[in-house]
Amino acid sequence: MRTQVEGGRRSHREVARWADVTDAEWNDWRWQVANRITTVEQLAEVIPLSDAEIGDIRECLKTFRMAVTPYYASLIDPHDPGCPIRLQSVPSRAEATRGQDDPVDPLYEETDSPVPGITHRYPDRVLFIVTDQCSMYCRHCTRRRLAGQTDRAPTRAQLEERLDYVRRTPRVRDVVLSGGDAFLVSDSLVEYLLKELRAIPHVEIIRLATRTPVVLPQRITSELCRVIRKYHPVYVNTHFNHPRELTDAATEACARLADAGIPIGNQTVLLRGVNDCPVVMRRLVHGLLKARVRPYYLYQCDLSRGIEHFRTSTARGVEIIEYLRGHTSGLAVPTYCIDGPGGAGKIPVGPEYVLSRSPERLVLRNYEGVICAYREPPTPHSEGERCPTCGGFHEELASGVGAVLAGRAPFLEPGELERAGRRRTEHKDC
Ligand SMILES: *Cc1c(COP(=O)(O)O)cnc(C)c1O
Ligand code: SF4
């Protein structure tokens, strides 16, 4: 088994490249961003690289860029080619391999987009791109078409157009500020966006999506936290993939956010060789809870260009949840989902717990394999009557599968149905 130093890192002074860097510089996020490792020569000063590896990395850099913060690079175990930090940050030959159906925009984020930089997929919430910059370009990034293209924030006019969309769309009650990385902009830009969004009456919650607690914890300054806390309710979602990322610096960054009253969620990507293991995942989710971070989603790796080598079977993901649910705190169990190709959105998958059902009974199994029945109550009210609980007819829920469930539509069918072409007349019921 791999030896792993948790909570620790090499001191930057042990690395020749950073021997003269002062603590003040090291702890300054702008220094970290300005001194990112972007070339193979710089990388070779930090970890030993064979000639073959140097060649592979050079080849890969022709297609995908590299940027690793000095902080994150200092977490790489220089003697372990399978180091999970290294796999996430250092390019490999495998990125040149294209899967048979790897699209550039697998999730249709640019198709489900009413204005540039906004993805409006779900009824009541939008994804709002703040910048395409990240401090570290993850090798498994699914938004490669976007992340790091220009490495700078959009213009005010572009942001204004996005804000305007939210202002004129009253259904949007939840705005996810993302990127790139939502914290790779200045405090004043974060404040401008939060202030403008908070002034919109129908915006109830704001979320910020950032990997900085993991790869650039120096970014979580007290000043940034002071800005955010003025605009509550604001949530932060971050992206820890491995327990080794939970260093003292990362844990302190999370504590500053949590102390500012910001609930923190975590979205992990299931990555082959990094965390596709129930033991590693258990250590990760427990470590996150200790750092006051709630595991939110575990994503199946998308079908995107250059990340085929990170994919695992969905059976692995289901197995991981099987080992968590019931065995440990429910708070530690993320929702495992696949972001459905073609803009289908996040679809939860997991172990099956319902074994069978009849109108009277639901037959379930628990995590121990105990099989039990839950006796159903008599139907509380008939269809077409008001709901005895809320007094309404649930019209607002009757779209998509909800419409079928509510009896409002007998079926849903795809727009392009082969047998539809053979129909001579429109179907009539009477
Ligand atoms: C993930 C995502 C959201 C937020 O989804 P939640 O399940 O509410 O966290 C919103 N819009 C898009 C396009 C997304 O991909
Ligand atoms: S932080 Fe997110 S958007 Fe940025 S490179 Fe990593 S996975 Fe991609």
Side-chain angles (χ1 to χ4, degrees), residues 176-211:
V176 183
L177 296 175
S178 185
D181 191 309
F183 283 166
L184 260 270
V185 296
S186 64
D187 289 358
S188 63
L189 187 55
V190 171
E191 173 140 35
Y192 165 76
L193 291 167
L194 292 178
K195 193 173 184 176
E196 292 300 317
L197 288 170
R198 206 21 95 219
I200 304 172
H202 53 266
V203 172
E204 295 172 4
I205 64 166
I206 303 169
R207 300 192 248 177
L208 290 153
T210 175
R211 209 180 178 197

Side-chain angles (χ1 to χ4, degrees), residues 414-430:
E416 290 157 36
L417 201 59
E418 194 207 348
R419 61 189 165 84
R422 296 191 289 272
R423 288 174 183 163
R424 282 177 295 113
T425 53
E426 292 275 305
H427 179 77
K428 290 196 187 66
D429 249 334
C430 45

Side-chain angles (χ1 to χ4, degrees), residues 115-428:
V115 301
I118 293 267
T119 301
H120 191 173
R121 167 160 310 145
Y122 299 106
D124 65 344
R125 54 209 188 279
V126 293
L127 188 71
F128 182 129
I129 303 297
V130 168
T131 173
D132 75 354
Q133 194 177 11
C134 294
S135 56
M136 197 277 273
Y137 290 107
C138 308
R139 301 332 294 174
H140 56 274
C141 181
T142 197
R143 290 205 190 120
R144 289 191 145 178
R145 65 172 200 288
L146 181 85
Q149 279 303 307
T150 63
D151 226 16
R152 67 175 114 85
T155 63
R156 279 293 160 115
Q158 286 170 319
L159 291 174
E160 245 337 284
E161 188 187 13
R162 293 168 205 185
L163 286 167
D164 254 336
Y165 179 78
V166 179
R167 289 187 191 106
R168 64 171 195 265
T169 315
R171 296 181 78 183
V172 177
R173 43 161 288 289
D174 173 2
V175 178
V176 183
L177 296 175
S178 185
D181 191 309
F183 283 166
L184 260 270
V185 296
S186 64
D187 289 358
S188 63
L189 187 55
V190 171
E191 173 140 35
Y192 165 76
L193 291 167
L194 292 178
K195 193 173 184 176
E196 292 300 317
L197 288 170
R198 206 21 95 219
I200 304 172
H202 53 266
V203 172
E204 295 172 4
I205 64 166
I206 303 169
R207 300 192 248 177
L208 290 153
T210 175
R211 209 180 178 197
T212 56
V214 187
V215 297
L216 182 68
Q218 299 78 9
R219 175 67 187 100
I220 312 300
T221 58
S222 314
E223 184 49 40
L224 177 66
C225 296
R226 260 197 302 278
V227 166
I228 298 172
R229 69 184 308 162
K230 288 194 269 175
Y231 302 97
H232 272 318
V234 180
Y235 291 69
V236 161
N237 258 327
T238 187
H239 177 174
F240 284 93
N241 286 333
H242 193 277
R244 274 199 54 187
E245 295 171 333
L246 286 162
T247 61
D248 294 344
T251 306
E252 285 158 21
C254 294
R256 286 192 288 278
L257 290 168
D259 287 345
I262 304 162
I264 315 164
N266 186 67
Q267 321 202 109
T268 294
V269 184
L270 186 61
L271 298 171
R272 190 160 93 203
V274 174
N275 59 16
D276 59 337
C277 158
V279 176
V280 171
M281 199 62 83
R282 201 180 150 95
R283 288 218 315 271
L284 173 63
V285 294
H286 284 164
L288 287 168
L289 287 184
K290 283 200 282 180
R292 291 189 277 169
V293 179
R294 167 79 159 95
Y296 179 45
Y297 281 134
L298 171 63
Y299 290 115
Q300 177 64 15
C301 189
D302 291 324
L303 296 162
S304 194
R305 204 154 287 177
I307 60 176
E308 183 69 15
H309 56 295
F310 279 123
R311 296 207 299 137
T312 57
S313 75
T314 57
R316 249 329 194 182
V318 171
E319 182 193 9
I320 285 170
I321 303 297
E322 181 73 55
Y323 285 123
L324 292 175
R325 173 65 68 199
H327 296 273
T328 191
S329 318
L331 270 179
V333 187
T335 303
Y336 173 46
C337 49
I338 300 182
D339 216 330
K346 300 174 184 73
I347 303 170
V349 277
E352 303 289 339
Y353 295 99
V354 173
L355 296 183
S356 197
R357 70 206 317 169
S358 74
E360 293 81 31
R361 278 184 189 77
L362 184 68
V363 180
L364 303 154
R365 63 102 180 168
N366 79 349
Y367 71 101
E368 303 165 301
V370 170
I371 295 176
C372 57
Y374 175 80
R375 190 171 51 76
E376 300 281 11
T379 316
H381 69 296
S382 317
E383 217 167 60
E385 289 176 12
R386 285 181 188 281
C387 164
T389 304
C390 75
F393 291 102
H394 301 176
E395 298 89 337
E396 65 273 34
L397 305 179
S399 73
V401 176
V404 184
L405 195 62
R408 227 162 277 265
F411 57 83
L412 285 181
E413 77 176 26
E416 290 157 36
L417 201 59
E418 194 207 348
R419 61 189 165 84
R422 296 191 289 272
R423 288 174 183 163
R424 282 177 295 113
T425 53
E426 292 275 305
H427 179 77
K428 290 196 187 66

